[in-house]
Amino acid sequence: MDRKETDIYLRLDPARLPQHIAIIMDGNGRWARRRHMPRVAGHRAGVAAVRSTVETAARIGIPALTLYAFSEENWKKRPKSEVDFLMRLLCRYLKAEIKTLNENNIRLKYIGRQHELPESVQREMAEASGATSKNTGMLLTLALNYSARSEIVDAFRSLAEAASRNGGLDHMQVDEQLISDHLYTRGLPDPDLVIRTSGEMRLSNFLLWQLAYAEIYVTQTLWPDFRGAQLLEGIEEYQKRDRRYGGLAPDGQPQRTTRAHAEAKRR
Ligand code: IPE
Ligand code: IPE
Ligand code: MG
């Protein structure tokens, strides 16, 4: 950890770390444009941000980290040359990272419609997740060719199949748990914190069901400039929030508690 990270880390309450952080890694194209470089140079530079973020999250004991690497829409709507570049970058990242993931006891998984990706990429993905499957530390989930609405469509399909095997939907208890169990993220707790870089104020079809009560943190930092220190800043901001889930604050007031208030509570 560098000095800046250590300073922020010491201000955090280790008992109230988010159990699952989800990140929308955005702004690679703008980062490159500002430097008069091609968009793909931004994607390449984004790998260092991924490395630093993953390592810091694992080191401070975050149980689950989910990174939105590319959406189904990115895959369908961006020029083939950019998509091909992203695929090659992903394969290179997976190959290069297995060793560090193992050293940090990180398990790797994916969400998204994997079967629509090129077979060579699927093989690389299976190789990396297989090589880390015995690790017991942080679960790193990469969202690749991911769309939250497609995830919900796929959940409906898998529910319908389960229903036909079990004598119809009437014989099943349809509740939130059942739906969660049919999402790609089954078994994972919902994210407590969602971070979006580059200042955009939208979810862009990311984890629509799972983010129902997540705290949202938007930073102007462009993804290639994001590092562990920025992750810790996001967590620090998260710890100042007052999560109410539709109820009242502990003092009975529905108003947002002030920063001073939150600090006082922490002491
Ligand atoms: C995020 O950066 C990476 C992906 C979506 C693959 P962008 O490529 O969306 O960068 P901007 O938003 O154009 O700056
Ligand atoms: C969201 O970024 C998807 C990822 C970061 C992978 P986009 O750049 O695709 O989102 P929009 O198009 O600005 O909503
Ligand atoms: Mg973008």
Side-chain angles (χ1 to χ4, degrees):
M1 260 195 222
D2 63 24
R3 182 70 206 267
K4 185 169 183 210
E5 280 189 60
T6 310
D7 285 350
I8 310 168
Y9 181 68
L10 291 173
R11 293 201 296 271
L12 297 180
D13 176 354
R16 286 167 48 246
L17 291 176
Q19 297 300 291
H20 181 184
I21 300 177
I23 306 183
I24 304 171
M25 311 186 287
D26 197 14
N28 295 354
R30 278 161 284 171
W31 183 94
R33 199 172 57 214
R34 284 185 195 170
R35 286 164 177 75
H36 309 285
M37 288 157 99
R39 290 181 54 79
V40 294
H43 297 319
R44 194 184 294 126
V47 174
V50 172
R51 247 178 225 135
S52 171
T53 305
V54 167
E55 238 184 275
T56 298
R59 193 167 322 136
I60 68 168
I62 301 295
L65 176 70
T66 298
L67 302 178
Y68 201 5
F70 64 89
S71 66
E72 203 174 301
E73 289 78 12
N74 293 151
W75 169 245
K76 286 182 182 146
K77 293 182 183 168
R78 294 197 180 190
K80 185 176 180 309
S81 57
E82 182 172 338
V83 171
D84 287 349
F85 184 90
L86 285 169
M87 291 299 142
R88 284 200 299 275
L89 194 65
L90 169 67
C91 287
R92 228 180 306 149
Y93 170 82
L94 292 174
K95 255 206 234 316
E97 233 47 27
I98 294 180
K99 189 164 166 275
T100 321
L101 293 176
N102 282 329
E103 279 164 9
N104 289 299
N105 197 19
I106 299 169
R107 196 155 47 99
L108 180 64
K109 283 185 98 173
Y110 314 98
I111 52 173
R113 287 185 172 165
Q114 271 183 64
H115 59 275
E116 291 176 357
L117 296 172
E119 262 177 45
S120 57
V121 176
Q122 291 185 46
R123 269 199 303 276
E124 216 59 71
M125 288 165 65
E127 175 82 25
S129 60
T132 62
S133 65
K134 300 251 167 34
N135 293 336
T136 53
M138 184 173 85
L139 173 62
L140 171 64
T141 304
L142 298 182
L144 301 168
N145 193 30
Y146 175 85
S147 143
R149 287 192 169 180
S150 295
E151 178 181 33
I152 292 171
V153 168
D154 289 346
F156 267 71
R157 289 185 180 148
S158 114
L159 262 172
E161 274 170 33
S164 70
R165 283 195 308 271
N166 291 299
L169 209 52
D170 294 344
H171 293 84
M172 290 166 76
Q173 190 181 339
V174 181
D175 54 16
E176 289 191 8
Q177 189 60 50
L178 183 77
I179 292 177
S180 294
D181 288 346
H182 283 82
L183 295 172
Y184 304 150
T185 50
R186 67 189 73 88
L188 257 180
D190 288 342
D192 296 303
L193 170 65
V194 59
I195 296 176
R196 183 160 189 156
T197 57
S198 86
E200 305 294 355
M201 301 278 188
R202 53 178 172 264
L203 291 177
S204 301
N205 206 4
F206 190 42
L207 302 176
L208 296 180
W209 170 278
Q210 298 87 337
L211 294 177
Y213 265 109
E215 292 298 327
I216 301 171
Y217 175 75
V218 174
T219 168
Q220 294 300 321
T221 304
L222 302 174
W223 179 253
D225 292 327
F226 197 91
R227 290 293 180 276
Q230 280 70 38
L231 176 76
L232 297 176
E233 280 170 359
I235 298 173
E236 188 178 25
E237 166 68 24
Y238 163 84
Q239 293 195 335
K240 289 173 185 156
R241 305 278 179 88
D242 184 12
R243 302 184 79 187
R244 290 197 294 275
Y245 301 98
L248 299 180
D251 60 0
Q253 297 299 311
Q255 289 86 11
R256 191 200 181 294
T257 48
T258 63
R259 184 173 295 194
H261 223 112
E263 306 257 311
K265 254 194 304 191
R266 273 176 52 192
R267 283 196 293 267

